[in-house]
Amino acid sequence: MTVIKHTDSISAKDNLVLVVTAKTDISKQGFSAAELAYVKKQIAAEEHIINVNQYERRVTIYVEEKKKEAYQTLEACRKAGNRICGVMNTAKVEAVTIVDLVGNAENILALAEGMALGNYQFLYYRQNDIKKLANSLKTINLNSKKVKADDVKHLQIIIDATCKARDLVNQPVNHLNAEQLAKEFEKMGKEAGFKVEVFNKAKITSLKMGGLLAVNRGSIDPPTFTVMEWKPKNAKNKKPYVLVGKGVVYDTGGLSLKPTANSMDEMKCDMAGGAVVGCTIYAIAKANLPVHVIGLVPATDNRPGMNAYVPGDIITMYNGMTVEMLNADAEGRMILADALSYAKKYEPALAIDLATLTGAAAAAIGKYGIVTMGTADKRMHDALKKSGEHVFERLVEFPFWDEYADLLKTDIADMKNIGGPVAGAITAGKFLEKYTSYPWLHFDIAGPAFINAPYDYKPKGGTGVGVRLLVDFLSNIKG
């Protein structure tokens, strides 16, 4: 875990990252005449990251990049932080001090954020050469008159929560089934101080959550339904915000086995939405944000064994609606539908579900953003888009026309669970819409939640996408 601290002192042996503009006077920063000449030459050549090896320490100069939009400038800082993190790890540096010579707190925090997120590793199951594999960087010190102690504390919480989500997504199902996922949420609740209640299979059966039970029929492991709640006395909102996360801890596609070669290899990630929900509530509780939030995570694996449900089965959902199941690989919407119906009891100001739901969403926009749609008003959607830009987890709104719901019609039930070969991400959203009666948004994170190679400060594997976005949004709500 990377530790971020505020410091007022700098020693002659500290490894430094000097944050400057092209016009900043750096003549008093301990450079020799030759080093100073080299740095100035690099700045004139419009280099933004300049490394100086002073043998006893490393000094990196970061020349701030000014982009067209403020959020793009912040992202440039994060990317630079990730690159600098790589330099420090290559040099086996254990601690580095970021020195603010510009006076821009937000950029300094973004630089540290990129370094810390880029420093993440998942080494739980590596036994050989662990010392060689592990990154050396442990501590990032911030030396800035503009950055406050509370800013550093808040950033540390966000980093920790995002990395927790990454850890959960990276865990294989033989170490993280539905029951174990629920236990992880319970641990987080005890640490951060939020309430956690876990429904076992008997409770789920008594509630008649038909969608969750149907998907679970192919597994020997029981399902869980986790309810998390953070309700501080000074909450700004009268009605809660409800977060719903898909918790499919492994997805074979059920009896509709995934047809694409190697497509099951990454399916431990199919609970990424659930991880985001739990880790977001962990973060807002640790930060003591004055907002009432409830998290719901239905969890199971989806396998073709036991008494697995089959195409053509009619499933009665928690709200009493019937579904003709025609594709067992469209299981996420089945368990989310029950959770969204359950959310009605809370009369939410807004509900957001997060799920690695469709390959169609990933195919449409790749790893570069989150597909979204829903019934919430423009004000709410715009606020989330603004947070998405601020943390660079951008939202792409898809059309949500009523005509798409026609693709879910069937002669023998209230609806079917797939819509056909076109608009797969949208018809999945239209399916979920039938189970909501309150302001609601659907986030399909199938593209960015799990990636096959490092991308900037996002590691190979689980990225934790969604945590930073939701924490930013919930930090800025008015009521």
Side-chain angles (χ1 to χ4, degrees):
M1 190 69 70
T2 308
V3 177
I4 305 172
K5 299 179 180 179
H6 191 279
T7 183
D8 293 321
S9 62
I10 305 171
S11 78
K13 292 186 178 181
D14 286 347
N15 300 289
L16 303 179
V17 177
L18 305 179
V19 182
V20 305
T21 69
K23 297 181 180 180
T24 301
D25 180 9
I26 59 171
S27 60
K28 297 180 181 180
Q29 298 304 317
F31 293 114
S32 68
E35 290 169 343
L36 192 60
Y38 168 74
V39 171
K40 288 182 177 180
K41 182 179 179 181
Q42 294 298 102
I43 292 174
E46 298 185 349
E47 292 291 336
H48 290 283
I49 296 177
I50 305 160
N51 295 301
V52 178
N53 184 355
Q54 295 185 329
Y55 300 104
E56 287 192 351
R57 69 173 185 175
R58 294 274 175 163
V59 179
T60 295
I61 297 92
Y62 173 54
V63 186
E64 285 190 340
E65 301 172 67
K66 293 296 182 182
K67 300 293 185 179
K68 183 178 180 180
E69 301 287 348
Y71 76 88
Q72 293 171 328
T73 297
L74 291 178
E75 183 65 2
C77 290
R78 294 186 196 101
K79 290 179 178 180
N82 177 61
R83 289 173 58 193
I84 293 168
C85 175
V87 171
M88 296 300 170
N89 280 317
T90 299
K92 302 301 179 184
V93 167
E94 293 186 5
V96 66
T97 299
I98 298 175
V99 182
D100 179 12
L101 298 178
V102 177
N104 189 320
E106 202 168 21
N107 287 4
I108 296 299
L109 291 166
L111 187 73
E113 184 179 31
M115 290 183 71
L117 289 174
N119 201 41
Y120 171 86
Q121 292 178 292
F122 186 77
L123 298 175
Y124 280 70
Y125 303 108
R126 297 301 297 263
Q127 300 297 323
N128 299 324
D129 298 324
I130 189 68
K131 290 184 179 180
K132 291 181 180 180
L133 292 168
N135 288 339
S136 61
L137 186 63
K138 306 299 181 190
T139 306
I140 301 170
N141 298 302
L142 304 184
N143 180 269
S144 171
K145 294 180 180 179
K146 298 294 183 178
V147 173
K148 299 176 182 178
D150 284 347
D151 297 331
V152 177
K153 180 180 178 182
H154 189 72
L155 177 59
Q156 183 74 68
I157 289 169
I158 292 170
I159 298 298
D160 291 350
T162 302
C163 291
K164 278 182 180 293
R166 290 174 173 180
D167 284 347
L168 289 174
V169 174
N170 286 329
Q171 288 285 357
V173 69
N174 67 327
H175 288 269
L176 192 77
N177 63 17
E179 290 182 311
Q180 290 161 332
L181 178 62
K183 288 178 181 178
E184 291 298 320
F185 293 145
E186 289 178 320
K187 289 179 186 177
M188 284 190 266
K190 288 179 181 179
E191 182 183 344
F194 61 89
K195 181 181 176 182
V196 181
E197 183 178 9
V198 179
F199 298 169
N200 60 18
K201 186 174 183 178
K203 175 71 170 180
I204 293 166
T205 301
S206 72
L207 291 171
K208 298 182 180 180
M209 291 184 169
L212 178 53
L213 291 167
V215 177
N216 181 251
R217 276 168 49 182
S219 174
I220 63 170
D221 295 327
T224 59
F225 188 94
T226 303
V227 181
M228 295 166 274
E229 184 172 23
W230 168 247
K231 189 178 182 180
K233 293 181 179 180
N234 62 338
K236 294 179 180 179
N237 50 319
K238 294 180 180 179
K239 292 184 176 183
Y241 288 79
V242 177
L243 308 178
V244 179
K246 176 183 173 183
V248 176
V249 290
Y250 188 81
D251 181 22
T252 66
L255 281 173
S256 305
L257 285 172
K258 292 182 178 295
T260 308
N262 305 317
S263 60
M264 280 190 225
D265 294 356
E266 302 164 0
M267 283 299 103
K268 64 182 181 181
C269 80
D270 217 16
M271 38 60 68
V276 171
V277 168
C279 293
T280 296
I281 294 181
Y282 170 85
I284 64 174
K286 289 281 281 188
N288 199 26
L289 293 188
V291 56
H292 181 196
V293 181
I294 293 167
L296 306 175
V297 180
T300 180
D301 53 320
N302 182 31
R303 298 193 192 235
M306 304 295 286
N307 193 28
Y309 71 157
V310 302
D313 278 356
I314 305 298
I315 309 301
T316 301
M317 308 294 283
Y318 171 73
N319 70 347
M321 291 180 65
T322 56
V323 174
E324 182 185 14
M325 192 283 280
L326 292 177
N327 189 325
D329 197 23
E331 85 299 333
R333 67 200 69 181
M334 299 292 288
I335 72 171
L336 287 173
D338 280 347
L340 289 169
S341 296
Y342 189 82
K344 182 179 179 179
K345 66 180 288 186
Y346 300 110
E347 299 181 2
L350 173 70
I352 301 172
D353 78 75
L354 301 100
T356 47
L357 205 63
T358 66
I365 64 171
K367 62 189 176 186
Y368 305 104
I370 298 170
V371 167
T372 181
M373 61 201 79
T375 60
D377 62 28
K378 185 177 185 299
R379 177 185 63 85
M380 200 70 77
H381 216 151
D382 286 350
L384 280 155
K385 284 183 176 179
K386 183 178 180 181
S387 286
E389 289 182 344
H390 187 246
V391 303
F392 219 74
E393 293 181 352
R394 295 165 294 179
L395 299 178
V396 180
E397 187 174 0
F398 274 22
F400 208 50
W401 303 319
D402 291 340
E403 287 81 357
Y404 289 112
D406 293 340
L407 300 176
L408 295 168
K409 289 181 177 179
T410 174
D411 294 334
I412 62 173
D414 293 322
M415 61 195 307
K416 55 184 178 177
N417 77 327
I418 54 170
V422 299
I426 300 172
T427 54
K430 296 304 284 188
F431 180 94
L432 295 176
E433 181 190 20
K434 298 293 184 181
Y435 299 87
T436 65
S437 57
Y438 42 76
W440 157 77
L441 290 172
H442 166 54
F443 287 3
D444 194 328
I445 59 174
F450 193 95
I451 54 180
N452 293 318
Y455 177 62
D456 295 327
Y457 49 87
K458 302 175 186 69
K460 178 181 178 180
T463 64
V465 68
V467 174
R468 294 165 56 241
L469 188 164
L470 291 175
V471 173
D472 188 90
F473 169 70
L474 294 166
S475 297
N476 292 291
I477 65 167
K478 305 300 181 182

